[in-house]
Structure formats: structure tokens, C-alpha cells
Amino acid sequence: MKRIAFYVVMCTLLACGLAGFASAQTTGGTLRGTIADSQGLPITGATISITNQQTNVVINLSSTAAGLYNYPDLPVGAYTLTVEKSGFQKEIRSGIQVFANQVTEVNINLAVGAVTSTIEVTGATPLVQTGTSQISNDFTSMQVTQLPNPDPSGSQLQLALLAPGATSQQAGVLGEGGSIGGTRPRMNSFTIDGVDDNRIDLTGHTQYVIPESVSEFNLLTNQFAAEYGHSAGGQFNTITKSGTNDWHGSAWEYNNNRNYNAYDNLEKQNVDANGKVLPKPRYDFNRTG
């Protein structure tokens, strides 16, 4: 009996030890940049605050001797960047969008002046990804729920067809997600919040995520990091919503009915003996939540 207990304890310790070496894929993004004066000289020791606009969680940093700051794993969402330094005006940048698996660079040039003076910039523009060769295609929660989707369930995975280099797969082709960059569909990989979501028997996702709970859908098509070593095809990454500090919710209904749709060319040719067009095949789909 003691021997059995010993083996149980040893197996538990071994499992815990191996778990420490295992790591899931990255689900956040990187925010970095330089802090300099009006002449482009780096500012050392500037106080930097990164605030999540949904949860008000604040992360504090300081610029390095080279005027650099970097935070490598921010949760997906909108952020406000506040920079302060004695002898310079405080600057606030709001609406900075951080995407999964992307590097967002925001460089700040502080103007000389009193600390009580504040320069506030709102409405961030899309930023060119110059810090990585990785090609990433991001779809926000609004795009996931509002863009036309051929899948009756509204699966976000179908949005991959809107990405450059992605093509639909023909009938009989094994796998899921289409061909990404010329690879076979069975070479694609699927994750939810960084956790493996691949079927064991054949490549494809296992867990369905309702569109309303998706915070971001991210598709990596090439030059992705070694952490995505499961497959050589497209990396289908779904990030779920983490909530905010306010109570909120929504009610929705999706309905597809044959009476809403016009006759296509094949249906127009489907006539009876008298030449009258037959009714359209029944296809009714309704989904509420």
C-alpha cells in the first residue's frame, strides 16, 4: 500500500514538473516604442502607464537608457498610453488597438513644458507592422458577427477565406480551413485562447465558439514563431472575450429562410410538365441566443 502511494506521489510531482515546461501559444500582442524629446533624443526614466480601456487595469513601466519601452504579452483590446517626465508635458494616447500575435509600435515625442500641461491624442490610425515578418490577419469581434458568413452557424473560421493567400477547398479534400499559402487543408492548426483545439483523427477544430463570445479571430499564414510548431499550414487562433467592468449582454437571432432568397439560375430551370417553376427546395435555419 505504501509502495502504491509512493508511485502516486512521484507521478503527480513528475506531471507538475512537466507542466512547467509546457506553454501554450501566445494570445496577446506586444506594445513597444521609443520615448524621445522634440529633437529625437531618447528620454531615460520616463513614467509610462498602459491602461486597458475595458477593465481599467494599469501596467506601469519606465523607459530605458535608450528611451525604449516594451511589454510583450498584452491581452487583446484597446489601450491608453500615458507618458510623463519631469520638465516635459504629459502626453496621452488613447484608442491604441493591440492585436494577437502582432507588434504595435507607438513612438512618443514629448514637448518641453510644465508637467501640468497635457497633450492628448485620440483616434489611433492603423499602424504598419515593421517589427516582424510574420503575416497576420485579424478580425475583430464586430467583424466576426457582422461580416457575411457562408456558415449557418456563423463560425469565425470561415473568415479565413477573406485573407490573402487563402482558398476554399474542394469536396473530398481532407482537413478543414481551406488551403493557406498553397498548403493542404489537413496541415492547418486550430487553437482557442492559446490551447490546442485540433482533432486527433484528422486536422480540424473540435470545440465550437459562438461568434458573440469571440474577441478576435487571428490567422497566421507564414513566418510564424516556433511556438506554432504543430502544423505547417495556417494557424487559426480564436481569442474569447474576457469581460469588462460593466454588466452587459445581448440578445440575437439568425434566420435563413428559403422565402427570403431569390431563385438562382438552377432553380429557375426546375420546372414541371406545364413549364411552371417549382417551389424552391426547403432550407430553413434559425438560431437564437
Side-chain angles (χ1 to χ4, degrees), residues 26-235:
T26 303
T27 59
T30 298
L31 179 60
R32 71 185 186 187
T34 60
I35 309 299
D37 58 18
S38 57
Q39 297 181 346
L41 299 176
I43 297 178
T44 304
T47 302
I48 303 167
S49 299
I50 304 173
T51 306
N52 188 307
Q53 294 181 185
Q54 292 183 319
T55 62
N56 293 326
V57 174
V58 181
I59 299 173
N60 296 314
L61 303 172
S62 295
S63 59
T64 65
L68 303 175
Y69 73 94
N70 179 71
Y71 199 87
D73 195 16
L74 281 174
V76 172
Y79 288 84
T80 297
L81 183 68
T82 304
V83 182
E84 298 180 76
K85 177 66 177 181
S86 178
F88 295 89
Q89 298 181 21
K90 179 172 69 173
E91 182 156 343
I92 300 175
R93 294 279 185 94
S94 60
I96 300 172
Q97 189 68 41
V98 173
F99 297 102
N101 303 298
Q102 286 199 18
V103 177
T104 301
E105 293 191 5
V106 180
N107 301 319
I108 303 293
N109 291 91
L110 296 180
V112 177
V115 182
T116 54
S117 302
T118 302
I119 299 177
E120 185 170 356
V121 180
T122 59
T125 57
L127 302 171
V128 177
Q129 299 299 317
T130 60
T132 177
S133 60
Q134 176 177 271
I135 297 181
S136 178
N137 303 271
D138 295 280
F139 299 91
T140 63
S141 58
M142 179 175 292
Q143 291 174 315
V144 170
T145 56
Q146 300 298 325
L147 286 177
N149 196 320
D151 188 344
S153 65
S155 173
Q156 73 284 355
L157 303 178
Q158 293 293 330
L159 298 179
L161 296 176
L162 300 177
T167 59
S168 60
Q169 63 195 64
Q170 298 177 352
V173 177
L174 300 178
E176 183 183 5
S179 174
I180 308 298
T183 60
R184 296 183 178 183
R186 66 186 306 170
M187 300 179 71
N188 295 328
S189 179
F190 303 85
T191 63
I192 298 177
D193 292 333
V195 179
D196 186 278
D197 187 44
N198 291 289
R199 289 168 50 184
I200 298 177
D201 57 343
L202 183 66
T203 299
H205 78 287
T206 60
Q207 183 63 43
Y208 172 71
V209 180
I210 63 173
E212 287 70 22
S213 67
V214 175
S215 174
E216 178 186 340
F217 170 58
N218 172 256
L219 173 66
L220 302 180
T221 57
N222 78 330
Q223 300 296 332
F224 37 80
E227 62 188 279
Y228 297 97
H230 180 279
S231 303
Q235 309 296 319

Side-chain angles (χ1 to χ4, degrees), residues 150-153 254-261 267 280-286:
D151 188 344
S153 65
Y254 174 87
N255 179 262
N256 192 341
N257 189 287
R258 66 188 185 280
N259 296 319
Y260 299 158
N261 304 325
E267 291 171 342
K280 286 176 289 187
R282 179 170 183 174
Y283 179 77
D284 299 329
F285 184 85
N286 192 66

